[in-house]
Amino acid sequence: MELLIPSEDYKKYRMNKGEVFRNKKLDRFLSWETPSGRNMFSIQSIDSRIRIAAKFLCTKKNVAVVCSELELPAAQEFGKATGARVVDNYRSSLFSNPKNQKYTEPDVIFVTNADENRNVIAEANLNNVPVVAFCNTNSKTDGIDLIVPINTTNQKSLEIALWLIANEIRKLRGESEIAMDVFSKGDTE
């Protein structure tokens, strides 16, 4: 199967660059280790998991995307492109307390950085809400239903990953694709 973007672009945007430390549960997504010990994700694994995530998210009506400031602009574009609700600056009980003014009951929670949003994952698990999450090589994966291996420390990597998933969802819905520059300003970081 042809990759969503050329292999060189995955490398150019450092989407496959992991951390020195790794979670053994993510070994299946790794392809090699640099001489300095940095773990590298398999480009085919990234591409495949992006497609799987898009197919899964496409079937859900009420998707909540929880992001940090780093990827907020791209997450907002993702929300516009797919109809997902974007939650930045997450506060606990957002998904579990009906008395919370911003309370919502999502069908699935899409976390753009598993390391920064452990509380979201825990709350989703308490409420039996599936979790799709971007994970780096050293991320904890407990409570995550669908892992998308990606470099979560690089803004450009996160922007491109969100753009790829949004476009795959739009393709599955029969909608037109969106240009990369809508999600990502500039060519490199």
Side-chain angles (χ1 to χ4, degrees):
M1 182 184 297
E2 188 177 326
L3 296 173
L4 295 170
I5 57 175
S7 173
E8 296 75 33
D9 286 351
Y10 279 106
K11 294 173 191 170
K12 174 181 168 183
Y13 301 125
R14 294 178 279 194
M15 296 174 77
N16 66 326
K17 186 177 178 183
E19 297 294 329
V20 173
F21 298 104
R22 71 176 197 244
N23 177 341
K24 295 277 187 200
K25 293 179 182 176
L26 292 164
D27 279 356
R28 63 188 165 138
F29 303 118
L30 300 178
S31 64
W32 60 289
E33 186 177 303
T34 66
S36 64
R38 184 169 296 279
N39 295 287
M40 302 298 277
F41 285 119
S42 156
I43 290 170
Q44 289 75 19
S45 292
I46 296 169
D47 194 85
S48 171
R49 298 303 277 198
I50 284 173
R51 290 174 197 267
I52 293 167
K55 285 179 188 169
F56 179 72
L57 293 171
C58 184
T59 65
K60 304 300 179 188
K61 191 171 188 164
N62 186 7
V63 176
V65 179
V66 180
C67 66
S68 64
E69 281 187 49
L70 180 65
E71 65 277 359
L72 178 59
Q76 289 170 330
E77 291 300 331
F78 181 90
K80 288 180 201 171
T82 64
R85 177 175 180 221
V86 177
V87 177
D88 63 326
N89 204 9
Y90 167 81
R91 298 285 184 258
S92 62
S93 81
L94 179 64
F95 305 120
S96 60
N97 183 0
K99 292 181 181 177
N100 186 324
Q101 290 180 344
K102 296 182 178 183
Y103 173 73
T104 184
E105 290 184 64
D107 297 325
V108 63
I109 297 174
F110 178 20
V111 177
T112 59
N113 189 327
D115 299 321
E116 291 183 10
N117 295 295
R118 293 306 309 168
N119 290 343
V120 175
I121 294 166
E123 186 174 346
N125 291 171
L126 284 172
N127 294 293
N128 295 317
V129 177
V131 176
V132 175
F134 287 159
C135 295
N136 210 328
T137 58
N138 61 341
S139 297
K140 289 184 180 179
T141 58
D142 300 343
I144 298 170
D145 299 288
L146 177 58
I147 295 166
V148 179
I150 202 84
N151 177 359
T152 58
T153 61
N154 180 283
Q155 181 178 359
K156 190 69 168 182
S157 172
L158 293 167
E159 291 169 350
I160 301 302
L162 285 166
W163 169 71
L164 287 169
I165 292 174
N167 268 342
E168 281 301 294
I169 290 171
R170 291 179 66 85
K171 276 191 236 175
L172 291 166
R173 292 178 179 167
E175 299 171 0
S176 62
E177 291 187 36
I178 296 173
M180 182 192 301
D181 63 353
V182 170
F183 279 72
S184 179
K185 312 301 182 223
D187 197 24
T188 57
E189 222 188 337

mmCIF file of all heavy atoms in Angstrom, residues 19-37:
data_model
loop_
_atom_site.group_PDB
_atom_site.id
_atom_site.type_symbol
_atom_site.label_atom_id
_atom_site.label_comp_id
_atom_site.label_asym_id
_atom_site.label_seq_id
_atom_site.Cartn_x
_atom_site.Cartn_y
_atom_site.Cartn_z
ATOM 1 N N GLU A 19 12.278 8.811 21.434
ATOM 2 C CA GLU A 19 13.127 9.208 22.558
ATOM 3 C C GLU A 19 14.202 8.143 22.797
ATOM 4 O O GLU A 19 14.158 7.060 22.224
ATOM 5 C CB GLU A 19 12.274 9.373 23.816
ATOM 6 C CG GLU A 19 11.227 10.463 23.712
ATOM 7 C CD GLU A 19 11.817 11.846 23.595
ATOM 8 O OE1 GLU A 19 12.917 12.090 24.146
ATOM 9 O OE2 GLU A 19 11.199 12.694 22.956
ATOM 10 N N VAL A 20 15.135 8.439 23.687
ATOM 11 C CA VAL A 20 16.177 7.478 24.046
ATOM 12 C C VAL A 20 15.548 6.341 24.862
ATOM 13 O O VAL A 20 15.836 5.178 24.638
ATOM 14 C CB VAL A 20 17.316 8.159 24.834
ATOM 15 C CG1 VAL A 20 18.303 7.138 25.363
ATOM 16 C CG2 VAL A 20 18.013 9.191 23.952
ATOM 17 N N PHE A 21 14.682 6.701 25.769
ATOM 18 C CA PHE A 21 14.006 5.686 26.577
ATOM 19 C C PHE A 21 12.808 5.165 25.815
ATOM 20 O O PHE A 21 12.225 5.864 24.983
ATOM 21 C CB PHE A 21 13.578 6.269 27.923
ATOM 22 C CG PHE A 21 14.743 6.722 28.741
ATOM 23 C CD1 PHE A 21 15.034 8.069 28.860
ATOM 24 C CD2 PHE A 21 15.568 5.802 29.362
ATOM 25 C CE1 PHE A 21 16.129 8.502 29.600
ATOM 26 C CE2 PHE A 21 16.666 6.218 30.107
ATOM 27 C CZ PHE A 21 16.939 7.568 30.222
ATOM 28 N N ARG A 22 12.421 3.924 26.128
ATOM 29 C CA ARG A 22 11.271 3.375 25.425
ATOM 30 C C ARG A 22 10.438 2.491 26.337
ATOM 31 O O ARG A 22 10.944 1.895 27.284
ATOM 32 C CB ARG A 22 11.692 2.607 24.194
ATOM 33 C CG ARG A 22 12.368 1.297 24.459
ATOM 34 C CD ARG A 22 12.639 0.596 23.132
ATOM 35 N NE ARG A 22 12.921 -0.792 23.338
ATOM 36 C CZ ARG A 22 14.076 -1.369 23.066
ATOM 37 N NH1 ARG A 22 15.061 -0.653 22.578
ATOM 38 N NH2 ARG A 22 14.238 -2.642 23.278
ATOM 39 N N ASN A 23 9.182 2.431 26.009
ATOM 40 C CA ASN A 23 8.238 1.550 26.672
ATOM 41 C C ASN A 23 8.224 0.262 25.848
ATOM 42 O O ASN A 23 7.976 0.297 24.647
ATOM 43 C CB ASN A 23 6.853 2.216 26.688
ATOM 44 C CG ASN A 23 5.777 1.355 27.291
ATOM 45 O OD1 ASN A 23 5.917 0.139 27.412
ATOM 46 N ND2 ASN A 23 4.683 1.995 27.658
ATOM 47 N N LYS A 24 8.470 -0.857 26.481
ATOM 48 C CA LYS A 24 8.534 -2.137 25.762
ATOM 49 C C LYS A 24 7.237 -2.433 25.003
ATOM 50 O O LYS A 24 7.244 -3.135 23.997
ATOM 51 C CB LYS A 24 8.820 -3.286 26.738
ATOM 52 C CG LYS A 24 10.169 -3.200 27.399
ATOM 53 C CD LYS A 24 11.233 -3.767 26.520
ATOM 54 C CE LYS A 24 12.558 -3.821 27.261
ATOM 55 N NZ LYS A 24 13.669 -3.922 26.379
ATOM 56 N N LYS A 25 6.123 -1.878 25.471
ATOM 57 C CA LYS A 25 4.834 -2.111 24.798
ATOM 58 C C LYS A 25 4.779 -1.444 23.428
ATOM 59 O O LYS A 25 3.915 -1.741 22.623
ATOM 60 C CB LYS A 25 3.679 -1.616 25.663
ATOM 61 C CG LYS A 25 3.506 -2.415 26.938
ATOM 62 C CD LYS A 25 2.378 -1.871 27.778
ATOM 63 C CE LYS A 25 2.246 -2.659 29.070
ATOM 64 N NZ LYS A 25 1.210 -2.096 29.939
ATOM 65 N N LEU A 26 5.716 -0.528 23.182
ATOM 66 C CA LEU A 26 5.754 0.168 21.892
ATOM 67 C C LEU A 26 6.800 -0.406 20.944
ATOM 68 O O LEU A 26 6.973 0.085 19.837
ATOM 69 C CB LEU A 26 5.998 1.661 22.115
ATOM 70 C CG LEU A 26 4.828 2.396 22.787
ATOM 71 C CD1 LEU A 26 5.274 3.738 23.327
ATOM 72 C CD2 LEU A 26 3.682 2.564 21.827
ATOM 73 N N ASP A 27 7.491 -1.461 21.362
ATOM 74 C CA ASP A 27 8.535 -2.067 20.529
ATOM 75 C C ASP A 27 8.024 -2.484 19.154
ATOM 76 O O ASP A 27 8.753 -2.405 18.171
ATOM 77 C CB ASP A 27 9.155 -3.288 21.229
ATOM 78 C CG ASP A 27 10.202 -2.895 22.250
ATOM 79 O OD1 ASP A 27 10.505 -1.695 22.373
ATOM 80 O OD2 ASP A 27 10.708 -3.805 22.937
ATOM 81 N N ARG A 28 6.783 -2.916 19.071
ATOM 82 C CA ARG A 28 6.238 -3.371 17.784
ATOM 83 C C ARG A 28 6.168 -2.254 16.740
ATOM 84 O O ARG A 28 6.023 -2.520 15.558
ATOM 85 C CB ARG A 28 4.876 -4.021 17.972
ATOM 86 C CG ARG A 28 3.833 -3.072 18.517
ATOM 87 C CD ARG A 28 2.560 -3.804 18.874
ATOM 88 N NE ARG A 28 1.720 -2.977 19.700
ATOM 89 C CZ ARG A 28 0.433 -2.866 19.565
ATOM 90 N NH1 ARG A 28 -0.190 -3.563 18.642
ATOM 91 N NH2 ARG A 28 -0.253 -2.087 20.354
ATOM 92 N N PHE A 29 6.247 -1.001 17.188
ATOM 93 C CA PHE A 29 6.182 0.137 16.266
ATOM 94 C C PHE A 29 7.566 0.680 15.906
ATOM 95 O O PHE A 29 7.676 1.614 15.115
ATOM 96 C CB PHE A 29 5.336 1.266 16.863
ATOM 97 C CG PHE A 29 3.938 0.867 17.218
ATOM 98 C CD1 PHE A 29 3.496 0.936 18.528
ATOM 99 C CD2 PHE A 29 3.060 0.412 16.249
ATOM 100 C CE1 PHE A 29 2.199 0.573 18.868
ATOM 101 C CE2 PHE A 29 1.768 0.038 16.571
ATOM 102 C CZ PHE A 29 1.339 0.113 17.892
ATOM 103 N N LEU A 30 8.620 0.133 16.497
ATOM 104 C CA LEU A 30 9.972 0.642 16.280
ATOM 105 C C LEU A 30 10.650 -0.077 15.124
ATOM 106 O O LEU A 30 10.394 -1.246 14.878
ATOM 107 C CB LEU A 30 10.809 0.477 17.548
ATOM 108 C CG LEU A 30 10.286 1.189 18.792
ATOM 109 C CD1 LEU A 30 11.187 0.887 19.986
ATOM 110 C CD2 LEU A 30 10.161 2.676 18.585
ATOM 111 N N SER A 31 11.512 0.647 14.422
ATOM 112 C CA SER A 31 12.239 0.009 13.323
ATOM 113 C C SER A 31 13.737 -0.078 13.591
ATOM 114 O O SER A 31 14.381 -1.009 13.169
ATOM 115 C CB SER A 31 11.990 0.746 12.001
ATOM 116 O OG SER A 31 12.492 2.055 12.053
ATOM 117 N N TRP A 32 14.307 0.886 14.289
ATOM 118 C CA TRP A 32 15.740 0.861 14.555
ATOM 119 C C TRP A 32 16.099 1.837 15.650
ATOM 120 O O TRP A 32 15.273 2.623 16.102
ATOM 121 C CB TRP A 32 16.534 1.124 13.292
ATOM 122 C CG TRP A 32 16.279 2.447 12.612
ATOM 123 C CD1 TRP A 32 15.153 2.813 11.922
ATOM 124 C CD2 TRP A 32 17.140 3.574 12.560
ATOM 125 N NE1 TRP A 32 15.271 4.091 11.449
ATOM 126 C CE2 TRP A 32 16.501 4.578 11.815
ATOM 127 C CE3 TRP A 32 18.410 3.821 13.055
ATOM 128 C CZ2 TRP A 32 17.063 5.824 11.563
ATOM 129 C CZ3 TRP A 32 18.984 5.068 12.789
ATOM 130 C CH2 TRP A 32 18.305 6.044 12.056
ATOM 131 N N GLU A 33 17.363 1.760 16.056
ATOM 132 C CA GLU A 33 17.899 2.626 17.094
ATOM 133 C C GLU A 33 19.151 3.295 16.540
ATOM 134 O O GLU A 33 19.984 2.641 15.923
ATOM 135 C CB GLU A 33 18.244 1.766 18.317
ATOM 136 C CG GLU A 33 18.670 2.544 19.523
ATOM 137 C CD GLU A 33 18.931 1.632 20.719
ATOM 138 O OE1 GLU A 33 18.007 0.893 21.110
ATOM 139 O OE2 GLU A 33 20.066 1.667 21.244
ATOM 140 N N THR A 34 19.285 4.583 16.753
ATOM 141 C CA THR A 34 20.458 5.305 16.263
ATOM 142 C C THR A 34 21.681 4.927 17.109
ATOM 143 O O THR A 34 21.538 4.403 18.212
ATOM 144 C CB THR A 34 20.244 6.836 16.352
ATOM 145 O OG1 THR A 34 20.152 7.198 17.739
ATOM 146 C CG2 THR A 34 19.005 7.279 15.599
ATOM 147 N N PRO A 35 22.892 5.223 16.613
ATOM 148 C CA PRO A 35 24.102 4.936 17.411
ATOM 149 C C PRO A 35 24.093 5.633 18.775
ATOM 150 O O PRO A 35 24.673 5.145 19.727
ATOM 151 C CB PRO A 35 25.237 5.452 16.535
ATOM 152 C CG PRO A 35 24.697 5.370 15.144
ATOM 153 C CD PRO A 35 23.226 5.672 15.265
ATOM 154 N N SER A 36 23.400 6.766 18.870
ATOM 155 C CA SER A 36 23.331 7.476 20.154
ATOM 156 C C SER A 36 22.254 6.907 21.068
ATOM 157 O O SER A 36 22.073 7.373 22.189
ATOM 158 C CB SER A 36 23.082 8.967 19.921
ATOM 159 O OG SER A 36 21.818 9.160 19.312
ATOM 160 N N GLY A 37 21.505 5.911 20.581
ATOM 161 C CA GLY A 37 20.500 5.250 21.410
ATOM 162 C C GLY A 37 19.076 5.746 21.230
ATOM 163 O O GLY A 37 18.164 5.296 21.915
#
